[in-house]
Amino acid sequence: MSRELVIPAARLRELAREFGTPLYVYDEATILERVRRLAGFDLVRYAQKANPNLALLALLRSVGVAVDAVSAGEIERALRAGYAPDEVAYTADLFDARALEFIARKPLRVNCGSVDMLPLLAKARPGAEVVLRINPGFGHGHGLRVTTGGESSKHGIWHVDAPNALNVAQQLGLAVVGLHVHIGSGSDQRNLALAAAAFENLAPLVRRTLKSLSAGGGIPIPYRDADPDFELGSYAQTWRDAARRASECVGRKLKLEVEPGRFLVAESGLLVTEVQGTKRNGGFDYALVDAGFHTLLRPAMYGAYHRIEALTSADRNLRPTVVAGPLCESGDVFTLTSDGAPDPRLLPALARGDLLAICDVGAYGMSMASRYNSQPLPAEVLVSGDNARLIRRRESLEDQLLHELDL
Ligand code: LLP
């Protein structure tokens, strides 16, 4: 076994027995440790799209982490988890009617990624404070689909348009109190540093009203043992230096925010899945499990790598195995290359009933799960020391049919 599991195998086996599989299990201590690592920033804001379970939101709120929301649904979740409206930021490139209704009624912070949101905001909440999300003209993420800067991304106000956006905001009577940048998810050290430099130059344009700068999210985590270490200390220092220079320039201390999703929760999460059968097709050995891309989409969608560990089989002869799910779709495989070809992993001989843990799935696992093939959404459990608590029950078939009209 390469790295240790954040929750020991014996405990995962017990939880699988108690709550069934597929099962998402999160380790509270890991999440709290990641929060502590971000102490170099003035404010940590959790990008809840990574995992919006109410119990996780309440946990992060209890340790002073603010929250980001990208939809009316995420705003509602944050409020239900106990967040005060002014601890919630709505970050988007558009307003839909439901989000605009929240904005009109509650003092949420609004982070606009398009200039045409400004008149809508001014109408919904005259004189409001606003944050502008700037697209700095370049971006970087773990893949093109999660790169959120540059002209091939729809996100943010194009950097060249920033002075115009500031004028428009001023004319509408809005106060631009913050600048925000997010260049991509699962980015790297160099690009995140470049963003700080590019962004710092904008502060003088908002000299009169600016109060905060946000570095966005994007901090990577080591999915593979060989992934380079991310130097969190030097990342925070780069941004602190940029914020200090910007503060000197505007003549007041600017608050420095960071907005991670993946970094806070990814490594806390394990997906426990049970082998339902095995087969050999040509040169490939397959283990077919009860989780699929309806449970964890990242491998099928991005060719993302997730470590897989056997929890039951004691066989020491490792063999190349393709781990695939139950869906009626050949791309329903967890072990793929980034091009989508089968990429077998070395695993012990597996048989029906064996359990596997798919690692580092706390971010963009459950939040991207679906009911494809009428599969029920899985259960989620939060482990806090000796205590394990069900934080979402497994769906029943009745739950799935609830919104369909009677025949
Ligand atoms: N802030 C903004 C404005 C964002 O758009 C995102 C992610 C974040 C923060 C948090 O990024 P993080 O720290 O988690 O990298 N489904 C993809 C990730 C999509 C991220 C979208 N935006 C995946 O599974 O890798």
Side-chain angles (χ1 to χ4, degrees):
M1 210 175 270
S2 38
R3 260 176 297 152
E4 255 177 51
L5 293 169
V6 289
I7 298 169
R11 187 91 190 270
L12 293 172
R13 288 195 293 269
E14 269 169 40
L15 293 172
R17 258 196 306 277
E18 185 174 351
F19 299 106
T21 57
L23 182 70
Y24 274 104
V25 184
Y26 310 114
D27 179 46
E28 181 177 292
T30 303
I31 299 175
L32 297 179
E33 194 276 337
R34 296 302 184 275
V35 173
R36 286 195 291 276
R37 280 202 216 167
L38 293 170
F41 291 86
D42 298 322
L43 183 78
V44 180
R45 189 179 286 288
Y46 175 50
Q48 68 169 289
K49 71 196 87 187
N51 191 329
N53 187 292
L54 292 175
L56 299 188
L57 297 183
L59 172 70
L60 287 164
R61 180 178 167 273
S62 74
V63 290
V65 173
V67 71
D68 182 59
V70 298
S71 66
E74 287 195 354
I75 294 173
E76 184 67 39
R77 278 181 176 275
L79 299 176
R80 292 219 188 166
Y83 277 105
D86 64 358
E87 295 168 327
V88 184
Y90 172 77
T91 301
D93 298 278
L94 54 83
F95 283 124
D96 62 20
R98 287 194 312 150
L100 209 49
E101 204 179 302
F102 271 112
I103 306 294
R105 284 191 287 115
K106 312 246 182 209
L108 305 168
R109 174 176 153 141
V110 182
N111 185 357
C112 290
S114 303
V115 179
D116 69 1
M117 294 170 75
L118 297 172
L120 294 169
L121 173 61
K123 187 155 174 243
R125 210 180 327 131
E129 295 193 333
V130 62
V131 177
L132 299 184
R133 173 179 180 176
I134 307 296
N135 178 330
F138 67 92
H140 182 262
H142 66 71
L144 257 191
R145 274 174 284 191
V146 292
T147 293
T148 51
E151 66 180 3
S152 39
S153 162
K154 66 180 178 178
H155 294 295
I157 295 170
W158 190 242
H159 58 118
V160 179
D161 296 336
N164 173 48
L166 294 165
N167 278 338
V168 172
Q170 236 164 25
Q171 276 161 21
L172 290 164
L174 299 168
V176 179
V177 294
L179 291 172
H180 171 284
V181 70
H182 172 76
I183 59 163
S185 194
S187 188
D188 67 15
Q189 197 96 37
R190 184 178 149 272
N191 284 288
L192 287 167
L194 285 177
F199 192 52
E200 184 189 332
N201 300 332
L202 291 170
L205 299 175
V206 214
R207 199 181 292 267
R208 215 167 38 81
T209 47
L210 195 62
K211 295 182 191 166
S212 69
L213 295 180
S214 172
I219 305 171
I221 64 125
Y223 285 104
R224 293 173 189 265
D225 290 337
D227 281 347
D229 278 346
F230 185 79
E231 303 282 338
L232 198 59
S234 74
Y235 167 66
Q237 190 59 48
T238 303
W239 274 97
R240 276 206 305 272
D241 290 345
R244 182 177 36 77
R245 286 191 293 269
S247 301
E248 281 161 12
C249 174
V250 302
R252 95 185 60 84
K253 166 104 176 63
L254 298 175
K255 199 161 155 180
L256 179 61
E257 293 192 11
V258 68
E259 193 179 79
R262 185 186 319 271
F263 177 78
L264 289 174
V265 293
E267 290 160 277
S268 78
L270 294 153
L271 173 59
V272 184
T273 181
E274 189 184 76
V275 176
Q276 307 297 303
T278 58
K279 70 196 309 186
R280 187 170 178 87
N281 274 2
F284 289 117
D285 276 318
Y286 286 86
L288 301 178
V289 299
D290 60 4
F293 77 58
H294 61 296
T295 332
L296 174 68
L297 184 59
R298 301 191 74 255
M301 180 144 174
Y302 311 111
Y305 177 95
H306 285 270
R307 203 155 55 92
I308 301 180
E309 303 287 354
L311 298 178
T312 39
S313 173
D315 177 31
R316 300 216 174 239
N317 289 323
L318 302 184
R319 62 188 68 192
T321 307
V322 177
V323 180
L327 300 178
C328 191
E329 186 143 350
S330 51
D332 181 28
V333 175
F334 289 116
T335 52
L336 291 169
T337 63
S338 50
D339 303 330
D343 190 17
R345 293 287 171 83
L346 287 177
L347 288 167
L350 296 167
R352 183 173 164 84
D354 276 329
L355 294 174
L356 298 176
I358 307 182
C359 303
D360 306 316
V361 295
Y364 308 110
M366 186 63 188
S367 64
M368 294 173 77
S370 74
R371 301 187 174 99
Y372 188 43
N373 282 191
S374 292
Q375 292 278 359
L377 290 172
E380 294 175 286
V381 166
L382 179 61
V383 170
S384 328
D386 290 338
N387 181 35
R389 181 160 64 98
L390 188 65
I391 57 172
R392 180 185 171 107
R393 66 174 171 75
R394 186 176 308 284
E395 264 190 353
S396 66
L397 284 173
E398 272 317 302
D399 292 332
Q400 288 195 55
L401 294 172
L402 205 59
H403 295 281
E404 286 176 52
L405 303 175
D406 286 339
L407 293 180

